[in-house]
Amino acid sequence: MVLKQIKFMLSLFLLALACPLPAGTLIYRINGKGETLTTSKIKIISIQDKRLTIEQDGGRQTIPLSWVEKYFDTDIPGSSFVDNTSDYDINIIKVDIPDTGYTFSTEDGKRRKNVAVCSIEYRINRKYEPGKTQAVKMPYFYLYVLTTRDKEYGQRPAYTFFYPKEAKVKSKSYDEAKIIETISGIDRPLIHDKAIRQLGTPARKSGLSSMGNLVAEIPLKGIRGRHIVAYRLDIWGKDKIVASKEWQRPRYNPGKFWWKKH
């Protein structure tokens, strides 16, 4: 059995030397029960430290080499990558949003105008689920901002911002279908416990594990000198909105679901 595994690893290594391959099919185990997944149209990217990195439709996944059962350098119809990441909740600790789209600083006696930034402090609470990895999908932030009117607009201008860059949705107005398509993309970044190095002790009662406080900073480009009168923040987790926050300036009434109407 050991000799067979060595020969198999060697054959994969020789294939990887010429990679990325144009196409191929990989069969690998997904749990300790012997269940396997057949993934076609993949490219072998690298073999390193007993781990195999493969690519499919622009997204990459790394798996232990010991999980691999078979590889064929041709396409065999099968399912896509299994989503084995953990589910999670998010606590919004604090949202610091500026008064306008500009901030000012003084350097060498000169007053400089800078693009203002919305800072969001948050915490990821990973759920413990049998058979799931400790990795979680990067939260996607969508910030909708309403500002005061100016001479260019008959109504209050509304803006949409996102974080990280992979969360960008190609739509000029609110489009939940496009957002769902984006969060489901195979190229969505992952967050690993070891990368953060702030994984807390699992809470026995809640079954959650905290990844420590993190900060997302979103430049508010385009607002310029307009005053911000309301915002809506949606944070998407693995497959749904896991945290939201709304705010409006006193005496302003933007209306219900205003961010969906612009």
Side-chain angles (χ1 to χ4, degrees):
M1 181 66 183
V2 175
L3 181 60
K4 182 179 179 181
Q5 183 68 14
I6 292 175
K7 289 182 177 179
F8 180 67
M9 291 173 61
L10 180 60
S11 63
L12 275 179
F13 177 76
L14 293 175
L15 284 171
L17 291 177
C19 73
L21 298 173
T25 300
L26 188 69
I27 301 176
Y28 62 99
R29 296 193 301 274
I30 58 175
N31 55 38
K33 300 178 181 179
E35 297 179 12
T36 61
L37 180 71
T38 300
T39 305
S40 59
K41 297 182 180 179
I42 67 106
K43 298 176 183 178
I44 295 178
I45 302 302
S46 66
I47 298 175
Q48 186 175 5
D49 297 330
K50 298 182 180 180
R51 300 184 71 82
L52 176 68
T53 299
I54 55 180
E55 181 178 277
Q56 182 191 55
D57 297 331
R60 293 190 178 187
Q61 182 174 5
T62 300
I63 61 174
L65 200 55
S66 59
W67 289 12
V68 178
E69 293 285 340
K70 295 180 181 179
Y71 174 82
F72 303 92
D73 60 349
T74 186
D75 281 335
I76 299 175
S79 59
S80 60
F81 292 140
V82 63
D83 185 354
N84 202 34
T85 58
S86 297
D87 200 0
Y88 60 92
D89 291 326
I90 282 185
N91 292 336
I92 299 174
I93 309 300
K94 182 171 58 176
V95 177
D96 285 333
I97 195 160
D99 182 56
T100 72
Y102 286 142
T103 59
F104 297 90
S105 61
T106 302
E107 296 180 15
D108 300 328
K110 296 182 179 180
R111 193 166 185 252
R112 297 183 182 276
K113 187 185 297 183
N114 309 296
V115 174
V117 172
C118 176
S119 179
I120 304 162
E121 185 178 353
Y122 65 101
R123 182 184 294 265
I124 299 176
N125 299 310
R126 179 170 56 82
K127 298 180 180 179
Y128 279 90
E129 300 175 279
K132 297 295 184 181
T133 67
Q134 292 185 349
V136 299
K137 290 187 173 181
M138 171 75 76
Y140 276 9
F141 295 71
Y142 294 92
L143 177 67
Y144 310 97
V145 176
L146 191 67
T147 69
T148 51
R149 298 181 180 91
D150 64 9
K151 296 179 181 180
E152 300 177 17
Y153 295 89
Q155 60 180 2
R156 298 186 185 120
Y159 303 83
T160 301
F161 303 95
F162 54 87
Y163 176 91
K165 63 180 181 180
E166 292 86 356
K168 184 176 182 178
V169 175
K170 295 181 179 179
S171 177
K172 294 183 178 180
S173 58
Y174 182 89
D175 190 332
E176 189 167 342
K178 289 287 186 182
I179 295 174
I180 293 174
E181 180 182 346
T182 301
I183 69 164
S184 302
I186 196 171
D187 59 343
R188 188 172 175 182
L190 300 181
I191 298 180
H192 300 271
D193 290 347
K194 291 182 180 179
I196 295 179
R197 298 181 181 179
Q198 293 178 328
L199 184 62
T201 303
R204 294 182 180 180
K205 293 183 179 179
S206 64
L208 300 175
S209 179
S210 170
M211 288 187 171
N213 287 12
L214 304 169
V215 175
E217 294 188 338
I218 304 177
L220 303 180
K221 296 179 179 179
I223 291 181
R224 297 181 287 182
R226 300 184 187 95
H227 288 268
I228 295 171
V229 298
Y231 74 78
R232 162 79 180 198
L233 171 66
D234 286 337
I235 306 178
W236 287 75
K238 182 175 180 177
D239 53 13
K240 61 184 179 294
I241 295 175
V242 293
S244 296
K245 187 176 179 63
E246 290 182 52
W247 170 87
Q248 65 187 53
R249 192 175 295 277
R251 298 196 302 268
Y252 280 89
N253 181 21
K256 195 173 183 179
F257 304 120
W258 60 264
W259 62 93
K260 294 184 179 181
K261 300 173 183 177
H262 287 263

